[in-house]
Amino acid sequence: MEVRVRYAPSPTGLQHIGGVRTALFNYLFARSLGGKFILRLEDTDRTRTTDEAVKNLYDTFEWLGVKWDEGPDVGGPYASYIQSERSGLYGKYALELVAMDKAYYCFCDSARLDRIRKEREDSKSSETGYDRHCRAVPAAEAASRAAAGEPHVIRLKIPLGEKTLFRDHLLGDIEWKNDDVNPDPVLLKSDGFPTYHLANVVDDHLMKITHVLRAQEWLPSTPLHVIMYRAFGWEHPEFCHLPMVMGQDGKKLSKRHGSTSVDEFRNQGYLPEALLNYVALLGASYEEGRDIFSLEELARLFRLEKLNKAPAVFDYKKLEWFNGQYIRLRSDAELAELALPYAVSGGLFGPAGTTPSAAQKAAFIAALPLVKERLSFLHEIPGKLGYLFSEPAIPAAEEFIPKKLDLARAIELLELGRALVSAMAGESDAAAEERVKAAAETAGAKLGDFMMPLRVAVTGSRVSPPLFGSLRILGAEKVIARVDRALGSLKNA
Ligand code: GLU
Ligand code: ZN
């Protein structure tokens, strides 16, 4: 039997880590078994669905490079994949259940439902949900009242006094007392629209979904769905409720912990492959002793058996580490292309938004290898490379003075360094380093001490990308001008 799985979001907000994890696991599962991955929009709650959310859904997965085999945009044999476009189809299934005495009409208006809620609150009753009032209305009477146009919903008739058993791939055998299941949830609303429960079960059946991989928060709905499948006489898909995703404090991941929407990560300069790789590890393992996997490798290695029961902890620092790793995995040319927009918007080439001249662009491309190993984010580039594109401010004299030395010695070392610049700017970084080493030795200075005044003069900071590469990119003329400026300021200090 062909494996068919779906991601079935209700597009009410931005795609977040949890949703992406669900989608990704479904995708990987389908790919690992040569099955189909389907996108279905569960937009039956018309008041909460928004166009922006739908757009964000498409943008997100396009950016991540995760593609479905069937879905609203690509079509497929079970179209439409948008529930609101299928709304005419669900009513008949609800009526089928009514005819089989597995569902019933409920005529309670919102005033009555509010009243019960209020009464329970006042009496501090622990009961929640519907009080099953209309279960008692004789079927024939209910049918004629509905036929006469009395407003109604259709509710599932949960078989009381029984248990519902099903197997979850991850959690094992699950047994739920029916009396503890949401009391007779609405299947069809008074406007004829289905609720999540009805549309979800009917569509999973019609779309021949074989496995439902979804977040653990849906577990309480599953007994109800199983009851419905059995009421229809349909076989239910296999269920696998995915491990929760928590913040470091053990509470469900939320905005309190930090960014949760993919848009936020994207705007912060995360690479899609870093985010995907990290999210793929949230509650699953693939191969011992390895963290970095391409999407193709993940798809080959994914197994439900390798899901963890324990909740996954979302570690922002680890994600940052992944991002750095993926930055380093890009070729210099790819990285330059990817990073250029961040450099432009970060104001590397002039006021924010300034596009680079040809010379600036060449310098940018030449400079990226200097910082590639030190980046966690692409937006850090303007901060790290700024000194190559504009004159850094001259720091206070103390900054130039190596530990245990004094101003006079710093000036002396800087002058010695200045004398080497012309020769160094034309040679390889390794040769330049040899030259400096020799000069430091002759001057009786430690290499680091020798370089410090020069580094500060050229880059404006004690901590900078590699100095020799910087000299090479800036060229002798600019470097000497900066050194002279620094010398002037130090001699006046
Ligand atoms: N529409 C539900 C959601 O928003 C789908 C849950 C399920 O996968 O059954 O997550
Ligand atoms: Zn009722």
Side-chain angles (χ1 to χ4, degrees), residues 104-109 112-113 116 130-135 137 145 153 155:
Y104 60 94
Y105 294 106
C106 163
F107 302 95
C108 299
D109 55 14
R112 175 167 190 280
L113 298 178
I116 330 174
Y130 183 55
D131 65 353
R132 302 194 165 99
H133 180 71
C134 296
R135 247 174 117 120
V137 180
R145 281 168 68 181
V153 300
R155 288 183 183 275

Side-chain angles (χ1 to χ4, degrees), residues 130-442:
Y130 183 55
D131 65 353
R132 302 194 165 99
H133 180 71
C134 296
R135 247 174 117 120
V137 180
E141 181 197 323
S144 63
R145 281 168 68 181
E150 186 172 341
H152 61 270
V153 300
I154 293 179
R155 288 183 183 275
L156 181 65
K157 194 173 203 171
I158 304 264
L160 295 176
E162 300 176 15
K163 284 177 188 160
T164 296
L165 297 148
F166 60 93
R167 229 187 121 63
D168 181 278
H169 242 287
L170 182 63
L171 307 171
D173 289 324
I174 297 205
E175 184 182 299
W176 214 289
K177 283 202 197 93
N178 285 1
D179 296 48
D180 294 340
V181 174
N182 176 0
D184 299 1
V186 174
L187 300 181
L188 200 70
K189 296 183 256 188
S190 54
D191 58 5
F193 260 67
T195 58
Y196 155 69
H197 300 301
L198 179 64
N200 185 270
V201 165
V202 166
D203 283 348
D204 279 349
H205 173 70
L206 294 179
M207 295 180 180
K208 301 207 162 50
I209 299 302
T210 57
H211 297 74
V212 168
L213 275 52
R214 63 182 169 200
Q216 224 156 82
E217 68 211 50
W218 295 99
L219 189 61
S221 294
T222 307
L224 205 120
H225 295 179
V226 170
I227 290 170
M228 288 167 72
Y229 281 105
R230 290 182 183 150
F232 281 119
W234 299 337
E235 207 177 307
H236 64 73
E238 287 194 42
F239 292 103
C240 181
H241 291 87
L242 304 173
M244 305 273 265
V245 183
M246 312 293 210
Q248 302 270 13
D249 59 358
K251 304 222 169 76
K252 196 182 161 207
L253 187 71
S254 76
K255 285 204 172 51
R256 285 184 305 113
H257 298 105
S259 306
T260 54
S261 76
V262 175
D263 264 17
E264 286 170 282
F265 290 110
R266 192 175 169 178
N267 293 335
Q268 285 160 25
Y270 281 97
L271 298 182
E273 60 271 35
L275 195 61
L276 270 184
N277 192 152
Y278 185 61
V279 168
L281 298 175
L282 291 173
S285 58
Y286 298 84
E287 217 174 81
E288 210 59 49
R290 232 183 114 186
D291 277 334
I292 303 280
F293 301 95
S294 69
L295 192 56
E296 292 70 34
E297 289 174 310
L298 292 169
R300 190 160 43 76
L301 297 168
F302 185 88
R303 300 281 177 278
L304 290 184
E305 293 65 40
K306 292 197 151 189
L307 293 179
N308 308 326
K309 263 193 204 165
V313 176
F314 194 89
D315 181 345
Y316 287 86
K317 279 275 161 251
K318 190 81 199 265
L319 174 59
E320 214 174 292
W321 178 84
F322 269 94
N323 210 47
Q325 296 302 308
Y326 274 97
I327 287 176
R328 302 194 220 331
L329 282 173
R330 295 279 187 145
S331 72
D332 289 353
E334 277 176 333
L335 189 62
E337 192 177 322
L338 212 61
L340 190 64
Y342 292 90
V344 169
S345 65
L348 186 58
F349 308 115
T354 310
T355 53
S357 66
Q360 283 179 320
K361 192 161 173 193
F364 178 68
I365 292 172
L368 275 178
L370 301 184
V371 291
K372 195 175 180 181
E373 297 294 323
R374 305 156 180 238
L375 293 174
S376 298
F377 297 103
L378 297 178
H379 63 64
E380 292 165 348
I381 291 173
K384 290 201 191 298
L385 292 183
Y387 69 96
L388 292 177
F389 297 89
S390 57
E391 293 267 321
I394 302 174
E398 307 85 78
E399 290 296 306
F400 288 82
I401 306 172
K403 231 194 195 150
K404 294 194 191 141
L405 303 185
D406 60 12
L407 178 62
R409 178 71 168 153
I411 292 175
E412 192 186 324
L413 292 177
L414 185 52
E415 279 171 338
L416 289 172
R418 183 189 189 281
L420 305 177
V421 168
S422 296
M424 287 197 299
E427 60 195 358
S428 73
D429 295 358
E433 184 170 350
E434 282 315 310
R435 187 181 291 279
V436 169
K437 269 189 189 151
E441 217 175 289
T442 315

